[in-house]
Amino acid sequence: MSMQHGPIGLNPFDDPLDRVLAEIALSVQLPSSLHEKAKSRYEAVRSHLEAKTAFFDQIEHFYPQGSMAIDATISTRGTDDEYDLDIVSQLGGRFRGMAPLEILTELEAALADYPVQRVLRQTRCVTLFYSDKMHLDVTPSLRVQDTLDRESLITHARGPRPSADDRLVEMNACGFAQWYVSRTPLELRMAKEFHRRWLDQAHLAARADADVDDVPDQCHFIVKNTATLALQLLKRFRNIRYTSYTGRIPPSVMLSYYAGIAAQPNMSLSAMLVRLAGWIIRDIEQASIYRRLLHVANPVCMADVFTDRWPESVAQQDEFAEHLRELIRSLEAMRKGEVFPDNMMSTLRENFGDRVVTRAAEE
């Protein structure tokens, strides 16, 4: 007799509300048409850098970080079809002792002739803008010796000239991704159904039946559990709430941390989203009581602070908490059947955006 190991998970398409939420998540995440491109592009960027004299034999590791590393990529804020992907380029001895701005400038120069629409040096990375609206952030790092695997220092320099604010910032993106995966195990039923729907949405139904049994072996951009699906929805909700906001917004890596903390297998999608939002609200309330800023650090590297640039004030974190309370109130009302269908769709559009909700309703 066969035995089932680990959580099975719930099929999000069995419940009417969860089905709409799952369809919304499908609408905003990296589509299958860009799935293989994303993998091949960061490998091509590494090859391009290694062919440059300054970087020859100097790239020790080249690996995904952030949403790309935990299968939670969604469209960029203010868009429905643009995607930011993040890569860490761990550099060798030649770059040790160089100033942060100097490292960023060398990386920018090495990528200046890369065949994309635009190359832009930013405060902590160099961004490549592709014609199909994909953005690839390449972050240079220096390995910290005698620490956990790939604990590193990344550059922070606004430029164009050196300043007193230039510095190296501690981070361990690789360790965090491993922590997140350990906290959010595969939920087989949920992963299979979502993967099948993901392929079917791209008119790859023939592949869906063939590939669905391989979901546990997939390691790129395949949502494997309800916590990650809820994380994608929460990121989308944040993006909609802050579409016109010009300052910094709640960082994705902070939301990912809370998804890992709040993860609980075999929950419905709507319940998991409420649980995730509630966890964040409680921590913000606790900080605000004492007029402190929310402090969230990488659980495997406490010097890697996820909230180092947001929030900038107690009022800013309280504003986000109120947004989350509104989300919870609307979801709880829908779960209890207290909202008429027309009003429900209107509320979902306010929370997640008109275009993707309309598409989800049609599906």
Side-chain angles (χ1 to χ4, degrees):
M1 183 174 74
S2 63
M3 297 181 63
Q4 175 67 47
H5 298 282
I8 298 175
L10 303 178
N11 180 354
F13 299 98
D14 283 346
D15 176 84
L17 175 57
D18 282 9
R19 181 184 179 92
V20 174
L21 293 173
E23 292 286 358
I24 291 169
L26 275 167
S27 296
V28 299
Q29 69 179 257
L30 194 75
S32 57
S33 60
L34 294 180
H35 175 268
E36 293 302 321
K37 276 188 181 180
K39 291 191 295 180
S40 63
R41 279 176 174 170
Y42 85 77
E43 292 164 359
V45 171
R46 175 175 184 161
S47 297
H48 178 89
L49 284 174
E50 289 177 328
K52 299 292 184 177
T53 302
F55 289 84
F56 177 74
D57 202 29
Q58 290 296 307
I59 299 180
E60 298 173 345
H61 291 286
F62 207 75
Y63 58 93
Q65 69 163 330
S67 298
M68 187 175 180
I70 62 172
D71 307 332
T73 302
I74 69 163
S75 56
T76 306
R77 177 169 52 136
T79 75
D80 292 328
D81 56 0
E82 296 186 28
Y83 302 91
D84 287 332
L85 305 177
D86 299 299
I87 296 294
V88 174
S89 178
Q90 182 178 305
L91 303 177
R94 176 181 177 273
F95 293 89
R96 294 188 178 276
M98 291 175 63
L101 183 58
E102 194 177 357
I103 296 173
L104 281 167
T105 301
E106 287 235 8
L107 181 61
E108 178 189 22
L111 293 170
D113 61 344
Y114 199 74
V116 289
Q117 285 191 326
R118 185 185 180 198
V119 177
L120 176 66
R121 174 171 50 80
Q122 310 216 58
T123 306
R124 296 186 177 182
C125 67
V126 174
T127 302
L128 303 176
F129 294 84
Y130 293 82
S131 59
D132 56 12
K133 300 183 180 181
M134 186 186 292
H135 315 147
L136 189 65
D137 292 340
V138 183
T139 300
S141 76
L142 301 171
R143 176 81 162 83
V144 176
Q145 302 300 321
D146 302 320
T147 57
L148 292 173
D149 185 35
R150 299 191 197 176
E151 187 167 323
S152 305
L153 299 172
I154 60 172
T155 55
H156 177 102
R158 193 174 303 278
R161 290 177 293 276
S163 79
D165 189 49
D166 293 358
R167 61 190 185 274
L168 294 173
V169 180
E170 292 192 54
M171 76 93 183
N172 192 338
C174 183
F176 175 71
Q178 293 171 351
W179 173 88
Y180 182 88
V181 170
S182 73
R183 297 278 310 183
T184 56
L186 171 75
E187 295 178 59
L188 190 60
R189 178 185 297 156
M190 177 266 150
K192 282 187 174 183
E193 291 303 321
F194 196 80
H195 184 56
R196 187 194 303 277
R197 187 70 192 89
W198 184 71
L199 292 173
D200 184 58
Q201 187 185 59
H203 308 294
L204 296 172
R207 271 188 55 193
D209 287 335
D211 289 0
V212 75
D213 290 332
D214 298 327
V215 169
D217 298 323
Q218 299 285 340
C219 59
H220 296 289
F221 305 176
I222 304 298
V223 180
K224 299 183 180 73
N225 46 69
T226 305
T228 301
L229 206 55
L231 170 60
Q232 290 181 313
L233 288 167
L234 186 60
K235 286 164 61 178
R236 175 65 180 189
F237 171 79
R238 174 209 58 187
N239 288 353
I240 294 300
R241 280 292 184 268
Y242 290 90
T243 296
S244 302
Y245 193 76
T246 57
R248 293 198 173 277
I249 66 175
S252 292
V253 68
M254 181 195 80
L255 303 183
S256 301
Y257 164 80
Y258 280 108
I261 289 292
Q264 183 171 307
N266 300 323
M267 288 188 73
S268 71
L269 178 53
S270 55
M272 185 68 242
L273 185 52
V274 167
R275 176 180 169 85
L276 171 54
W279 209 294
I280 300 171
I281 291 170
R282 285 190 293 274
D283 274 9
I284 290 177
E285 288 176 339
Q286 186 66 28
S288 294
I289 286 174
Y290 298 99
R291 307 308 294 171
R292 294 197 300 256
L293 297 183
L294 180 66
H295 180 88
V296 178
N298 187 335
V300 301
C301 178
M302 298 307 291
D304 181 6
V305 179
F306 295 157
T307 51
D308 62 336
R309 296 190 283 179
W310 184 98
E312 298 170 311
S313 68
V314 171
Q316 198 175 52
Q317 67 193 27
D318 287 345
E319 178 186 37
F320 183 51
E322 184 53 37
H323 288 321
L324 294 178
R325 292 187 194 97
E326 292 173 6
L327 174 64
I328 289 177
R329 284 193 290 266
S330 64
L331 288 171
E332 293 286 19
M334 291 179 211
R335 291 175 67 196
K336 294 175 182 177
E338 297 174 351
V339 182
F340 289 112
D342 287 348
N343 291 338
M344 183 181 85
M345 298 311 295
S346 176
T347 300
L348 288 172
R349 288 186 174 93
E350 291 176 6
N351 287 342
F352 302 105
D354 183 73
R355 181 179 169 189
V356 298
V357 173
T358 298
R359 189 189 311 165
E362 291 172 349
E363 293 294 340

